[in-house]
Structure formats: C-alpha cells, structure tokens
Amino acid sequence: MDKLYDNLIELVGKENIEKDADMKNHTTFRAGGKAEFLVTPVDIESTCRLYKYLYDNNIKYYFIGNGSNLLVRDEGFDGVIVKFGNNFSDIETDGEEIKCGAGCYLSKVANVAKENSLKGMEFAAGIPGFIGGAIAMNAGAYGGEMKDIVKEVVVINKNGDIKNIPGAEMDFSYRHSKVLDEKYIVISVILSLEKGNKDEIIEEMDRLQKARKDKQPLEYPSAGSTFKRPEGYFAGKLIEDSGLRGYSVGDACVSEKHCGFVVNKGNASATDIINLIKHVQDKVYKDSGVVLEPEVKIL
Ligand SMILES: Cc1cc2nc3c(=O)[nH]c(=O)nc-3n(C[C@H](O)[C@H](O)[C@H](O)COP(=O)(O)OP(=O)(O)OC[C@H]3O[C@@H](n4cnc5c(N)ncnc54)[C@H](O)[C@@H]3O)c2cc1C
C-alpha cells in the first residue's frame, strides 16, 4: 500500500492525491464509503502514465467525473479513484463546434452553446454531470442524447495511448458507450451543433428546466433516475404501481414526487440505498415480471 502511494506520488504529485477520501463529498447522493486513494490528475501526459501504471500493475481503479451517477459502497473502494474535474475544463468554440474538456459541467457547455446561438444542446443543460461522464453514459433527456451531437472524442486507452474516435464509432446506445466497454478515459470532446436563434434556445432551455423542477425531487441528494427505462415501460410507473411511493430504508427513500428517483433524505448510507434498490427490484419483478436494472453505477 505504501509502495502504491509512493508510486502515485511520483506519477501525479502528492498534492493531487487524497488518502481515504470520503466519497460522500464526490457524489451527488452524498452517501457512501471511502476510496483508498482519490487522484485528480492535472494534465494529459501524467494521466497517460498513470493509466498505464494502474493497468499494467493490476491495481483496482475507477474513473469519475461529477459523481452524479455513482454510489460507492460503505465498505469503501480499495483502489484508486481517478477524478477528472477542473484541470480538464477548457472550452473553445469554433464556428458551429465546441471543443471541451472532460471535466466541464454539461450545464456550462450548454450555456456556451446558448451564448453562441448554437442549438442542439438544450436537452443537456439540466443534467448535473461532467462532459466525460455524459459521454461514457451517453446521457440524454427530453428526446436528445449526447450521441446526436458528438463529432469526436479524445480518449486514453489501457496502454496509456491517446486516440481520437469519431462519434459514429463510439457505439452509443441507451446510457452506454464504448468508453464503458473499453475502459477508456475521456479527455475531451468536439461537439457539433447548429446555428440557431438565441431567443428560441433560451426558451427551450427554460421550458426543460421548468419541467425538471416540476417533476424531479431536486431538493434532495440523488443520482437522478435510479433505474434504466425498461423497454416498453417507465420505471417510475412500475414502482408507483407496486405501492412503493415514499417507501424507505433508513434515510433512503423512493421519492414521493417521482418514484423513479431514490433520494437521500438525510443520512442514508450506501447500504440503505442498495437495500432499497433491491427491495424495489424484487417487488416490481414480483408484481409485473419486469426486471429493473440500476442506471446508477455501484462501486
Ligand atoms: C438530479 C439529477 C438528474 C439527472 N438527470 C439525468 C438525465 O436527465 N439524463 C441522464 O442521462 N442522466 C441524468 N442524471 C445522471 C448523471 O447526471 C449522468 O449520467 C451524467 O452524465 C454523469 O456524469 P458524471 O460526470 O457525474 O459521471 P460519474 O457519475 O462520475 O460517472 C458515471 C460513469 O461515467 C464514467 N466516467 C465519468 N467520467 C469519465 C471520464 N472522464 N472518462 C471515462 N469514464 C468516465 C464513470 O466511470 C461511470 O461509469 C441525473 C443525475 C442527477 C443527480
């Protein structure tokens, strides 16, 4: 363990490593255990070296962005969590394209699109993730998804090599992309948007933000929709039909406002959340025969 720490220090610098990092502070669920090491790389070169080292030495690792689709078990993660945030947050516009780092908030990029009268990103303005996480998950809402606007993604592979992948080769599908299969690190992305009318873009963003506020329990910590949408059904409706609105385990609760969201009403542990997820899955399966698959990543 000390050897690992020494090697990490050499690779990324001591100031970029947190030992026993409380992952509550890095996830929107505000729950969960600790990571043995939380590393925040500062540049692409050291990230390439870090990834090659972790992979070649069989060290347990996981990449995160804003942690808005993530829950770390209370037992903790005995490995290295690598977080891509501020140091990867440059945004540049070039005509109808926006180039942005993996650590940019989607909302910030959507705002830049709006300011430049570029349409196509309105759907993403209210999703609380970073660009890297949104690419990995092919985040989407209200009929739009990242797949529609990605021209190219710059990634690092397990050998520590940088690759430019065209959007069409990213194997985007519902809440999935090649990033998850190949365990790529997303470094940056080029988005291709269209010239639009600024007032109309603002109007559409406001409409979607209002729809979110009206329907979603944004007043409580959560990871958004807890379950993927099962084909032909809505998770929230199935959960409601199973009589689970407001059902809770400890402070983990099926939202009264939107049954598709599990929320943390105070001090929920990751175990409370996981037990609630299991209970919901079992009850819905018993009542409807539909398998609910978690959308939230559980480490
Ligand atoms: C209130 C709320 C509303 C939400 N609404 C929506 C919605 O409408 N639509 C939607 O799709 N999602 C929604 N989400 C879920 C979440 O915001 C998205 O999945 C988002 O894209 C996750 O981004 P993140 O940076 O937080 O990723 P994280 O949660 O940190 O990670 C998610 C996944 O991405 C991977 N990942 C993250 N960064 C990188 C990187 N740089 N390189 C490689 N892999 C990476 C992780 O390994 C993990 O598998 C919502 C969440 C909340 C809390």
Side-chain angles (χ1 to χ4, degrees):
M1 137 122 179
D2 280 337
K3 186 158 188 297
L4 172 58
Y5 187 38
D6 288 346
N7 289 338
L8 290 174
I9 290 173
E10 207 165 291
L11 285 157
V12 298
K14 193 171 182 173
E15 64 285 10
N16 302 308
I17 305 168
E18 194 183 333
K19 267 172 116 173
D20 294 323
D22 203 337
M23 293 307 293
K24 266 191 189 85
N25 303 327
H26 300 275
T27 56
T28 55
F29 247 136
R30 298 278 172 252
K34 294 185 175 196
E36 192 180 349
F37 295 105
L38 177 74
V39 168
T40 46
V42 293
D43 57 26
I44 297 176
E45 290 71 28
S46 61
T47 307
C48 291
R49 287 198 303 274
L50 172 70
Y51 195 4
K52 188 167 166 41
Y53 167 76
L54 294 174
Y55 187 70
D56 287 352
N57 291 283
N58 252 324
I59 292 160
K60 234 165 112 179
Y61 62 84
Y62 199 76
F63 308 128
I64 69 164
N66 197 34
S68 63
N69 200 35
L70 186 70
L71 183 63
V72 178
R73 287 178 194 274
D74 293 325
E75 295 79 1
F77 183 79
D78 56 339
V80 181
I81 293 188
V82 188
K83 177 166 176 163
F84 296 94
N86 275 345
N87 298 320
F88 294 83
S89 60
D90 288 346
I91 306 181
E92 272 170 45
T93 50
D94 180 7
E96 295 180 3
E97 292 181 357
I98 301 182
K99 182 171 184 199
C100 46
C104 295
Y105 278 101
L106 275 175
S107 54
K108 193 166 176 200
V109 182
N111 203 42
V112 168
K114 177 185 83 185
E115 289 307 320
N116 287 276
S117 304
L118 296 173
K119 66 173 180 181
M121 239 198 126
E122 297 86 328
F123 76 89
I127 301 177
F130 291 166
I131 284 285
I135 296 290
M137 295 296 300
N138 185 24
Y142 303 109
E145 52 186 346
M146 294 308 288
K147 178 183 184 221
D148 305 333
I149 56 172
V150 171
K151 183 179 174 197
E152 188 177 275
V153 184
V154 181
V155 301
I156 301 175
N157 68 15
K158 292 166 185 164
N159 298 323
D161 298 327
I162 297 172
K163 285 177 65 145
N164 293 47
I165 306 180
E169 292 172 22
M170 285 293 296
D171 297 348
F172 285 123
S173 60
Y174 177 65
R175 302 299 171 263
H176 167 269
S177 76
K178 203 174 196 168
V179 171
L180 301 178
D181 297 335
E182 300 290 334
K183 299 205 172 8
Y184 288 144
I185 293 174
V186 179
I187 288 297
S188 63
V189 58
I190 299 174
L191 303 175
S192 177
L193 302 169
E194 277 174 46
K195 208 72 196 157
N197 174 297
K198 191 169 175 181
D199 291 337
E200 284 173 16
I201 294 169
I202 293 173
E203 204 177 301
E204 179 64 356
M205 279 188 182
D206 289 350
R207 186 181 74 80
L208 299 183
Q209 291 285 32
K210 183 172 181 320
R212 262 180 206 277
K213 273 200 194 127
D214 289 347
K215 293 211 175 107
Q216 300 183 358
L218 302 180
E219 62 278 28
Y220 292 112
S222 78
S225 299
T226 311
F227 301 98
K228 290 186 181 174
R229 195 178 53 238
E231 227 175 298
Y233 300 91
F234 289 101
K237 174 83 170 64
L238 291 169
I239 296 167
E240 185 180 352
D241 291 348
S242 278
L244 293 171
R245 181 186 294 277
Y247 185 89
S248 48
V249 174
D251 271 348
C253 185
V254 172
S255 163
E256 311 253 354
K257 195 168 172 185
H258 186 321
C259 292
F261 279 54
V262 166
V263 295
N264 178 357
K265 283 206 156 170
N267 285 314
S269 63
T271 308
D272 293 336
I273 294 169
I274 292 165
N275 287 341
L276 177 57
I277 288 175
K278 279 203 190 114
H279 179 78
V280 169
Q281 285 175 308
D282 291 348
K283 180 83 168 67
V284 166
Y285 183 69
K286 195 164 151 254
D287 293 348
S288 65
V290 179
V291 176
L292 288 181
E293 195 192 325
E295 179 173 320
V296 51
K297 304 281 182 200
I298 300 172
L299 268 194

